[in-house]
Amino acid sequence: MLGATKRVPALIPRFLQPLRQLHEEIEQNIHFHKSKGQHILTNPRILDTIVRKSAINPTDTVLEIGPGTGNLTLKLLEASHKVIAIELDHRMVHILENRATKHNFRSKLRVITKDALRTDFPPFDLVVANIPYGISSPLIIKLMYETAAFRSATLLLQKEFARRLLANPGDSEFNRLAVNVKLLADVEFVMDVSKRDFFPPPKVDSSVIIIRPKVNVPDVNLRQWRAFTRTCFNNKNKTLGAMFKSKRKVLELLEFNNMAGLVKEQGDVCLFKDKIVGVLREGGFDDKRPSKLSIEELLHLLGLFNEVGVYFDHHGGVMNEDDIDD
């Protein structure tokens, strides 16, 4: 009877039923942790579209982060030479390996049971992944700034987050993440994905995007660039004049440049401020807002600061724990 049935498969489109029923059975044995982003994509048409849009060659090695129960992994294994899957949850790994074995793909699958943010990625050709929402920003920055060259990354992300990556200068969504990714790559929208296509369903819809690293990237120190954009986009809608001429920012930059040995003598605060004001005025940036500047304009401004001895970073890796984009 209808009232005694917890779920009603007849209300689900026929092509969705097999994977949905499989994961209902899986959930009887293990619990999906929504707080860890364990929302499994169960729509085979979307899975097929993701694989097709990824343009996988039979000789490619694909990196998948957060494979979960392996719905996407099985299709990647079929299309590629090898899949490297990074999955921290041992329960998911067990299901994934069993499904790969059942489909005669086990020899093509390598599973790394570690935290994707804290492990070095082995060589790969492209990324295809349904990324857990909670690590989207640091993971994308890691791919772009701390990973060897790869061809593309096809990513399923929270819709609002994807819109930030797709944003351009002047858009309300344009932020530091967008400018840092677009310095090194082009971002393409593929499609939106309804929350109903996941099990268990998340609270928000998702989008698929493709990130393609640029062949030719600007000649800029990436540590300087990331520290500079962190400063600019901390208050992205403030004018650069109001931001950089504030007493707090002048003292912060003066202290940093002195501690780093970039200012040879203990600089007078007024003289150091004059340097900053001069750069902004001569470059025509005084009344400009970071959220409306192109990458080329931001690069130009950074170069002007460096020319007069104002720097924003001098050591350490490209990314650290307090250097995460919004």
Side-chain angles (χ1 to χ4, degrees):
M1 295 191 339
L2 182 61
T5 304
K6 185 177 181 181
R7 296 184 178 93
V8 186
L11 299 179
I12 303 172
R14 187 179 298 275
F15 70 92
L16 288 177
Q17 289 183 19
L19 279 181
R20 187 62 58 87
Q21 290 171 352
L22 170 65
H23 287 81
E24 288 176 358
E25 294 170 4
I26 290 174
E27 196 188 31
Q28 292 176 6
N29 298 311
I30 68 169
H31 173 69
F32 291 108
H33 297 294
K34 294 182 181 181
S35 62
K36 297 180 180 179
Q38 291 181 344
H39 301 281
I40 311 300
L41 181 61
T42 57
N43 188 325
R45 293 180 181 175
I46 294 175
L47 290 165
D48 288 337
T49 299
I50 290 173
V51 174
R52 185 176 71 253
K53 290 290 187 179
S54 299
I56 302 169
N57 297 320
T59 55
D60 283 337
T61 295
V62 179
L63 177 68
E64 185 184 11
I65 299 160
T69 57
N71 291 345
L72 179 59
T73 316
L74 292 177
K75 294 182 179 292
L76 296 175
L77 287 165
E78 185 176 4
S80 67
H81 170 69
K82 183 179 182 180
V83 172
I84 301 170
I86 301 181
E87 175 58 66
L88 189 59
D89 191 329
H90 289 269
R91 305 171 309 157
M92 298 295 178
V93 171
H94 179 70
I95 296 169
L96 173 63
E97 291 179 336
N98 283 344
R99 293 183 73 190
T101 299
K102 182 178 178 180
H103 288 81
N104 297 317
F105 288 139
R106 188 64 186 89
S107 62
K108 298 173 65 175
L109 174 65
R110 175 185 173 188
V111 180
I112 299 176
T113 313
K114 292 183 179 179
D115 185 334
L117 295 179
R118 292 175 171 80
T119 187
D120 294 330
F121 298 148
F124 61 92
D125 298 295
L126 62 161
V127 184
V128 185
N130 172 15
I131 294 181
Y133 293 161
I135 64 169
S136 297
S137 180
L139 187 54
I140 288 173
I141 291 299
K142 178 174 180 174
L143 286 171
M144 298 310 306
Y145 283 83
E146 297 190 341
T147 303
F150 59 94
R151 195 165 73 244
S152 67
T154 304
L155 305 176
L156 181 59
L157 303 164
Q158 184 176 335
K159 185 175 180 179
E160 180 182 351
F161 184 88
R163 291 297 183 269
R164 296 176 194 168
L165 286 173
L166 293 160
N168 293 307
D171 295 341
S172 60
E173 299 93 345
F174 189 66
N175 67 350
R176 180 174 162 235
L177 177 66
V179 79
N180 282 331
V181 171
K182 290 187 174 183
L183 175 75
L184 303 178
D186 297 312
V187 185
E188 174 191 344
F189 171 77
V190 176
M191 63 179 171
D192 289 327
V193 180
S194 170
K195 62 176 74 72
R196 295 187 299 272
D197 293 315
F198 295 85
F199 182 88
K203 295 181 179 180
V204 296
D205 292 329
S206 302
S207 297
V208 178
I209 63 164
I210 299 178
I211 299 174
R212 294 186 177 91
K214 296 176 180 177
V215 176
N216 299 310
V217 299
D219 183 17
V220 61
N221 182 298
L222 295 181
R223 292 196 299 271
Q224 281 292 319
W225 169 259
R226 300 252 318 131
F228 171 66
T229 57
R230 181 170 63 247
T231 296
C232 290
F233 282 84
N234 188 44
N235 292 287
K236 68 175 184 176
N237 292 315
K238 259 190 174 183
T239 65
L240 289 164
M243 184 187 309
F244 278 101
K245 288 187 287 187
S246 71
K247 183 177 181 180
R248 179 178 178 180
K249 180 55 65 177
V250 171
L251 290 174
E252 177 185 310
L253 288 173
L254 177 59
E255 180 182 6
F256 168 77
N257 280 267
N258 276 329
M259 289 177 62
L262 300 172
V263 176
K264 299 306 180 184
E265 300 177 0
Q266 286 293 323
D268 180 84
V269 174
C270 292
L271 291 176
F272 191 75
K273 182 176 181 179
D274 286 344
K275 279 187 177 184
I276 294 173
V277 171
V279 164
L280 295 174
R281 287 181 178 170
E282 291 171 21
F285 289 101
D286 196 54
D287 60 349
K288 300 290 181 65
R289 303 177 194 276
S291 60
K292 298 184 183 299
L293 294 180
S294 68
I295 289 175
E296 290 74 21
E297 288 173 313
L298 288 166
L299 285 167
H300 179 53
L301 177 57
L302 174 59
L304 292 177
F305 275 128
N306 289 169
E307 284 176 10
V308 300
V310 178
Y311 294 88
F312 298 83
D313 190 71
H314 68 287
H315 71 284
V318 174
M319 184 184 75
N320 54 51
E321 289 184 358
D322 62 354
D323 192 27
I324 302 300
D325 297 86
D326 295 331

